[in-house]
Structure formats: structure tokens, C-alpha cells
Amino acid sequence: MKTIGERYAESFDLEILSIRELPFYDQDEEADPPDAVKTFKEKVKKADGVIIATPEYNWSIPGALKNALDWLSRGDKEMKDKPVMVVGASTGILGTVRAQIDLRKILGSSGLSARVLPPSTNEFLVTNAHEKFDESGRLTDEATLQFLDAVVNRFVEFVKKP
């Protein structure tokens, strides 16, 4: 995400939201959730689009990401019709392909109903990530950066469409 924020700073503002401080989803608290949840949901609601970066844990998305999506699926449903781009990186040869498939299914659920950038030419997954990022977490592989440019440009146009 650091690379996206820096590389496209002229095109859009990127705020990276942490999901670490979100408590476990609790239906008993959804009408009046903790402040961390309220702040998170409000920022997502105000965003023109959302980029979700996921690693792949045991062939799927991490539990913390699922928890954040569960919070967003309730109440005002901030993700409804929200343009979303899915990205991921992994040290393996399949990148985050399985996690991205699961994430797209979750984002299409009735509680979220996000408008996800179609995967046909937009599946941005970095394989062998340990070889493509520098020590500070910036993507350095030129071919991958060129593909990222194309996908981000399509996402910017996707966000502009009603």
C-alpha cells in the first residue's frame, strides 16, 4: 500500500486504515459499536473507493480482515455499491489468488454488496513478493509496477462511473 500511496499521490489521496484496533464483531454492540468501529466505518463511508490489500493465510483471507468486513456489513452498510479494488502479495508462486477469490465472494454478499473491480484483467497479486519489495516495503519490480499502473488507472476510472 505504501507504493500505491506514493506512486499515485497526484491522482488520489490514499489513507491507510488499520484494522488492528477493531474489536471482534459483536452483534450485541452493532447498534452502538465501540469508537474504533465508528471511526473506521465513517472513514470507509466517506471514501470514494476502497483498495483492500490482503495476504493469504491458509488459502484464504486473515480473520482480522473478515472481522473488519463483518463490522462494515451491519448497520449503515458502508460498502454497499462502494467501488473496491483487491490487491495482495505473497512469497509463494500463486500470490494471493485463493484469498482474493474468497474476498471477492465476501464483498459480493448481501451485507456488503460492494462494486468490485472485475478480475478479468485486474487481478493484482504479487507472487514471490520477497524478491519484488525493498527493505522499506516499496514495490521495486518494474514489470509488476507497470501492471499496477494499468490496474490502478482502470480503478480510478471505475470509481468515477456511477
Side-chain angles (χ1 to χ4, degrees):
M1 293 301 279
K2 183 182 289 189
T3 299
I4 292 174
E6 293 172 357
R7 192 168 177 94
Y8 310 104
E10 297 294 318
S11 301
F12 53 85
D13 293 323
L14 178 71
E15 180 178 0
I16 299 173
L17 302 181
S18 174
I19 58 176
R20 290 176 189 236
E21 60 276 342
L22 296 177
F24 291 124
Y25 170 75
D26 183 342
Q27 188 173 9
D28 292 338
E29 293 184 342
E30 75 179 36
D32 186 26
D35 287 342
V37 173
K38 289 178 185 176
T39 300
F40 177 72
K41 290 176 69 125
E42 187 60 29
K43 287 183 179 200
V44 170
K45 183 179 181 177
K46 288 181 180 179
D48 293 330
V50 174
I51 300 172
I52 301 176
T54 185
E56 184 168 298
Y57 295 166
N58 299 314
W59 294 6
S60 191
I61 66 170
L65 176 55
K66 178 64 168 71
N67 181 60
L69 294 170
D70 287 343
W71 278 114
L72 291 169
S73 73
R74 308 297 289 188
D76 292 338
K77 298 184 181 184
E78 293 79 9
M79 294 295 286
K80 184 170 176 31
D81 297 321
K82 181 78 64 180
V84 176
M85 177 176 149
V86 175
V87 301
S90 168
T91 57
I93 60 171
L94 293 177
T96 55
V97 69
R98 291 179 184 112
Q100 288 195 29
I101 289 168
D102 283 354
L103 182 53
R104 289 173 184 281
K105 287 190 300 188
I106 294 164
L107 289 167
S109 70
S110 60
L112 291 165
S113 299
R115 190 166 57 95
V116 183
L117 185 65
S120 57
T121 57
N122 301 305
E123 284 185 299
F124 186 78
L125 45 97
V126 180
T127 61
N128 300 312
H130 58 288
E131 299 171 356
K132 297 178 181 176
F133 288 86
D134 66 17
E135 345 29 83
S136 66
R138 285 179 184 80
L139 184 60
T140 57
D141 183 73
E142 193 54 42
T144 306
L145 284 167
Q146 288 176 10
F147 182 62
L148 179 62
D149 288 342
V151 175
V152 168
N153 288 333
R154 286 191 290 270
F155 182 62
V156 168
E157 291 304 312
F158 184 73
V159 169
K160 293 177 184 176
K161 292 179 184 176

